[in-house]
Amino acid sequence: MSTKLQLVYSSGQIAASVGTLAQRIGYDYAGEELVLVVVLKGALFFAADLARQIGVPLRLEFIKLSSYKGTSSTGTVTVTKGLDGSIAGKHVLVVEDIVDTGLTLKFLLGYLNDLGVRSLKVCTLLDKSGRREVSITPDYVGIPCENKFLVGYGLDVDERYRELPAIYEYIP
Ligand code: 5GP
């Protein structure tokens, strides 16, 4: 059988959700300086769209983690690209593409907390809360979603489909 992509969230739906998130974040951090810690590579397009609409001065940092192989989680997380600048004493907002089991985020929050941040919150575009294995609740959620394997708008299968402007269910 050949692989199928089924549309789940259109680019219009994504844009509306990103706009709402940016507005809430801009309101909550008004008057503060913010550091966005963008989780590569999946959150790349989301962060680019979000950062340009938040409306408070911010700095961008990128981190790369390894935890997911193909379509199943390995459960172990390692940092494969660390931050360039210091985030000690800063208000930090993690920008994630999707939270699934929560294992990646749990590790990341521990890692960033140890760097002496002033505050630490999480914004994720997609949240598969029904799949959680650890108790973690993102502070800002764009789209709560079902247990489907999604691709597009940054999300990949073996580095494919990231460039698609909408989000699709991947049916192998
Ligand atoms: P967690 O540690 O929460 O189980 O997994 C988080 C990471 O797994 C995400 O940052 C993402 O890279 C990957 N992931 C989880 N669900 C999906 C999905 O539906 N599609 C894709 N492409 N990646 C996913």
Side-chain angles (χ1 to χ4, degrees):
M1 255 185 19
S2 59
T3 300
K4 253 180 50 182
L5 298 186
Q6 201 152 26
L7 182 68
V8 182
Y9 306 112
S10 68
S11 54
Q13 279 173 290
I14 298 169
S17 176
V18 175
T20 306
L21 284 172
Q23 209 171 18
R24 285 179 55 205
I25 294 165
Y27 179 84
D28 290 353
Y29 289 92
E32 307 283 0
E33 274 187 34
L34 183 59
V35 180
L36 297 186
V37 171
V38 181
V39 185
L40 294 175
K41 298 176 187 174
L44 175 69
F45 301 119
F46 173 43
D49 289 341
L50 186 73
R52 288 178 293 173
Q53 296 179 67
I54 289 178
V56 304
L58 56 81
R59 211 177 82 202
L60 286 165
E61 287 287 337
F62 298 93
I63 194 163
K64 197 166 171 201
L65 306 167
S66 155
S67 68
Y68 222 78
K69 297 264 182 290
T71 56
S72 65
S73 176
T74 61
T76 6
V77 185
T78 49
V79 175
T80 57
K81 184 229 170 291
L83 306 175
D84 295 325
S86 167
I87 57 167
K90 302 293 181 193
H91 292 295
V92 171
L93 181 65
V94 172
V95 181
E96 259 285 21
D97 50 0
I98 188 163
V99 183
D100 187 24
T101 64
L103 290 165
T104 309
L105 193 54
K106 186 173 182 219
F107 167 87
L108 180 59
L109 291 179
Y111 179 87
L112 296 175
N113 244 323
D114 287 349
L115 299 176
V117 297
R118 182 156 162 211
S119 73
L120 185 56
K121 287 191 178 183
V122 177
C123 174
T124 185
L125 177 64
L126 299 156
D127 186 9
K128 286 189 198 169
S129 56
R131 295 242 320 152
R132 215 64 104 241
E133 287 177 22
V134 289
S135 115
I136 248 170
T137 310
D139 301 275
Y140 304 94
V141 173
I143 307 173
C145 58
E146 297 168 39
N147 179 22
K148 289 178 175 167
F149 194 83
L150 303 171
V151 297
Y153 196 63
L155 293 163
D156 75 314
V157 176
D158 296 330
E159 297 302 325
R160 290 187 65 198
Y161 309 118
R162 289 194 198 276
E163 75 282 11
L164 299 178
I167 294 174
Y168 298 82
E169 180 180 11
Y170 173 81
I171 304 162

